[in-house]
Structure formats: C-alpha cells, structure tokens
C-alpha cells in the first residue's frame, strides 16, 4: 500500500490502521465481518485490506480460520517503541557504579528492530546529572563509530575514542546474557562518557564498568 498523490492510497492506509485497531480491541478470533462492522468499513474493502495485512505479517489468521489476531511485526513495533523497564536491583547497580566512576554512566537496552540493522540501542537509563553525549537516533545511525555501538556489534569492550560525539571520550562494555538465559549475546550496553579536555579516566574505571555489567547481566537477560 504505497502512498501516492491521488488520495486513494493514503485513505486506504488510514482504513487499514482502523482495522488493526479494531482487531487489537476485539482480541484474537475476531472475524472479518465483525471488524468491518465495528470499523464502519464496507466488507469488500475490509476483506481486501485484511488480506494485505496478513500478507505483510501485521495480522495472522488463526489456525482454525475462525478469525484474526495481531501479527509478529506489530509485536516487534510495540517492543521497539516501549521504553525499557528496569528492575530496582538494576537501578541500584547503576547508582553504585555512578558513585565510583567520575564520568557520566548510561545504560542502553538492546532491541530487535526487524529491519536491515537487526538490532538497535535504546536509552534505558541515562545519567541523571550529566546527560547523554549524543541523541539515540544519531547513535543508532552511526553504531560503528561509537563506543556503545561497537560494544553491541562486537560483544567486546570498546575503547576511548568516539566518532559520534566530538570532544567526548567514551568507553563501553557489553552486558552479556548469562548461560542458560532465554536470550543470547548482548542484551544491553553500559557506557561512560567524559569530555576529552578532562583528565584521562583512572585505570580502574573500565574494570568497574565490567563488574557492573556482570552484575546487571542476570537482572536484564
């Protein structure tokens, strides 16, 4: 359903969104006729758009063909849009490491995007006093140029240079899912940032971040 300037396709997009809303409100098993009636859409139009939404995996037909349910792609969108929720124990770990590291300390959650990149970083807990050196959108557009992005992409600690935020020294460590966890690989990134004009961070900072990442792993996986 690619929009054009003629007006029909944009209206079809709006109608399709209404149909998705009706399926979400009604719950799994709602029929095409019920969706059409509740959305105030002609049945022929509703059937055509519902079939398109199924083909695009925004909706699925139930195995017994009794009706429709929300599809996998909507779940991916919802997970990507929802702000990460941290347990209290994870916030305690962050507060402790911020008290020991003379730099801004941030936690990024790893989310599945479903697009070409596959994964992205979401701000789960930015340093409340010093703030982020660069916005989330820019960070994800240049993952390979940032310490946090390299920690995500490689699964290893990243060094002190940062090509995304000029004048800022950044270093980051991945939070790796522990053995036996339902997820695998990098589940979050713990990063620190400081102006390059300041003193170099003490040698113990990287170790403190690594220990904090280890403590966070079972809490976030």
């Amino acid at each position: 359903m690619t929009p054009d300037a003629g007006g029909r396709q944009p209206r079809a997009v709006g109608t399709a969104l209404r149909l998705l809303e009706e399926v979400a409100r009604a719950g799994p098993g709602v029929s095409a006729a019920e969706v059409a009636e509740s959305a105030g859409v002609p049945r022929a139009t509703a059937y055509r758009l519902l079939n398109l939404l199924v083909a695009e995996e925004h909706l699925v037909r139930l195995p017994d063909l009794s009706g429709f349910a929300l599809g996998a792609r909507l779940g991916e969108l919802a997970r990507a849009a929802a702000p990460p929720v941290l347990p209290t124990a994870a916030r305690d770990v962050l507060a402790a490491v911020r008290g020991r590291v003379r730099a801004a300390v941030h936690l990024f959650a790893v989310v599945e995007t479903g697009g070409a990149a596959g994964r992205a970083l979401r701000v789960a807990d930015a340093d409340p006093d010093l703030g982020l050196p660069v916005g989330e959108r820019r960070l994800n557009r240049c993952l390979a140029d940032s310490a946090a992005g390299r920690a995500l992409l490689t699964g290893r600690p990243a060094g002190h240079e940062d090509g995304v935020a000029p004048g800022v020294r950044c270093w980051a460590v991945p939070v790796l899912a522990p053995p036996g966890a339902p997820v695998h690989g990098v589940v979050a990134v713990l990063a620190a940032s400081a102006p390059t004009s300041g003193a170099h961070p003490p040698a113990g900072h990287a170790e403190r971040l690594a220990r904090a990442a280890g403590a966070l792993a079972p809490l976030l996986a």
Side-chain angles (χ1 to χ4, degrees):
M1 291 183 296
T2 304
D4 61 20
R8 293 181 61 186
Q9 295 289 8
R11 286 198 298 271
V13 171
T15 303
L17 291 174
R18 292 213 311 277
L19 297 179
L20 285 173
E21 291 170 354
E22 293 302 330
V23 174
R25 273 194 283 266
V30 63
S31 69
E34 291 169 331
V35 173
E37 182 178 357
S38 58
V41 175
R43 287 193 180 188
T45 300
Y47 293 160
R48 176 173 57 83
L49 292 177
L50 288 170
N51 285 331
L52 285 172
L53 291 169
V54 169
E56 294 291 332
E57 299 182 358
H58 294 300
L59 293 177
V60 294
R61 294 183 186 275
L62 296 185
D64 60 2
L65 302 181
S66 61
F68 297 88
L70 298 180
R73 291 186 68 181
L74 284 182
E76 292 171 358
L77 289 172
R79 287 190 294 273
V85 178
L86 294 182
T88 300
R91 295 189 183 277
D92 291 342
V93 172
L94 290 172
V97 71
R98 283 171 180 150
R100 299 186 183 99
V101 175
R102 292 195 301 275
V105 176
H106 320 289
L107 179 67
F108 297 94
V110 177
V111 297
E112 301 295 327
T113 63
R119 295 178 297 173
L121 293 174
R122 292 287 307 279
V123 178
D125 194 288
D127 193 296
D129 298 319
L130 301 176
L132 290 165
V134 67
E136 184 180 290
R137 182 178 180 184
R138 185 179 176 194
L139 173 65
N140 282 299
R141 290 177 64 184
C142 308
L143 283 176
D145 296 323
S146 70
R150 291 196 296 274
L152 166 63
L153 297 173
T154 67
R156 298 191 300 271
H160 298 165
E161 306 83 17
D162 202 294
V164 178
V168 176
R169 180 190 305 110
C170 298
W171 62 107
V173 293
V175 179
L176 301 172
V183 294
H184 304 282
V186 182
V187 295
V189 171
L190 188 62
S193 58
T196 54
S197 57
H200 286 281
H205 276 24
E207 287 78 5
R208 292 187 182 100
L209 284 178
R211 286 197 296 270
L216 288 168
L219 302 173
L220 303 179

